[in-house]
Amino acid sequence: MPIESQLLTPAPLVYSRFTGRVTFEDFTTSSQALHANPEFTPGMHMILDMLNLQDFDVGFDEMKAFTAGIQERHRKRGEHVHIFIVCSNEQSTWLAEMFRSLSELEDGIASVDIVQGFPDILAILDLPRRTIDLFPEDCRSEAHLLNRLSS
C-alpha cells in the first residue's frame, strides 16, 4: 500500500506514511478507510509522513476536489483538525504545498502545516514529549533532518 495509516492512541493523532508512487485513488481509498475506522474520532489531528514519497499522480483538479471534501467533512463535524505534512524532497514538498494552498482557499476548519520533523508536531500541539514513543520507531529520531535539501 502506498499510504498506510494508523491511530496513535491515546494521543488524538492519525499517522499516515506515504511510500513510493501515490495516485489519487490511493488518497481516496486511504481517506475512506480511515473515516470508516470505528476508533477514528472527529478532531483527531493528522500527520502525513511523506519522507519516503518518490512520485505522485494527482492532478490539480483532483486535489482541489479532494481538499474541498476534507474541509467540508470537518466543517460538518464542527471539530478543528490540524494536518501536518512531514517532507524532505522536491516531490513531497511540491505535493504538500499544493495541498496546503488549496486548503487555504476553502472555508473550513482544517489547517495545514508543513514541518521538517516529528518533534515540531509535538511542540505545535503542545503534547507531552513522551508522545513521540507512539510514533513508529524510525520516526523517533531527528536524523532525517540531516538529509533535507538545502535551499
Side-chain angles (χ1 to χ4, degrees):
M1 286 275 300
I3 303 175
E4 294 182 13
S5 297
Q6 67 185 63
L7 304 178
L8 302 181
T9 54
L13 299 172
V14 176
Y15 171 82
S16 297
R17 177 173 288 184
F18 292 58
T19 55
R21 184 174 187 270
V22 174
T23 66
F24 180 70
E25 291 75 27
D26 297 327
F27 269 103
T28 57
T29 300
S30 173
S31 181
Q32 289 168 354
L34 175 63
H35 290 275
N37 184 334
E39 294 180 24
F40 175 78
T41 57
M44 291 184 91
H45 302 295
M46 307 180 117
I47 300 159
L48 309 181
D49 176 354
M50 294 189 184
L51 292 172
N52 295 312
L53 177 72
Q54 296 171 352
D55 195 16
F56 61 90
D57 183 11
V58 180
F60 178 81
D61 291 338
E62 292 171 321
M63 183 59 83
K64 185 175 181 182
F66 182 76
T67 303
I70 288 173
Q71 290 287 14
E72 179 63 22
R73 181 181 301 137
H74 291 292
R75 188 172 35 256
K76 283 182 180 177
R77 291 180 173 171
E79 292 283 340
H80 179 266
V81 66
H82 213 125
I83 301 171
F84 296 94
I85 305 173
V86 184
C87 55
S88 65
N89 65 35
E90 187 176 344
Q91 290 292 333
S92 60
T93 301
W94 198 94
L95 183 60
E97 290 289 355
M98 180 171 61
F99 181 74
R100 179 172 59 184
S101 296
L102 290 170
S103 294
E104 291 172 354
L105 293 175
E106 293 294 323
D107 182 29
I109 54 177
S111 57
V112 179
D113 276 316
I114 299 171
V115 297
Q116 296 296 311
F118 300 96
D120 299 350
I121 298 164
L122 301 181
I124 293 168
L125 292 176
D126 196 25
L127 293 172
R129 190 172 182 196
R130 298 282 314 209
T131 305
I132 197 80
D133 295 340
L134 300 173
F135 287 81
E137 190 171 333
D138 62 329
C139 298
R140 298 178 197 166
S141 166
E142 293 185 18
H144 65 276
L145 294 175
L146 302 174
N147 297 327
R148 72 184 178 124
L149 296 175
S150 302
S151 22

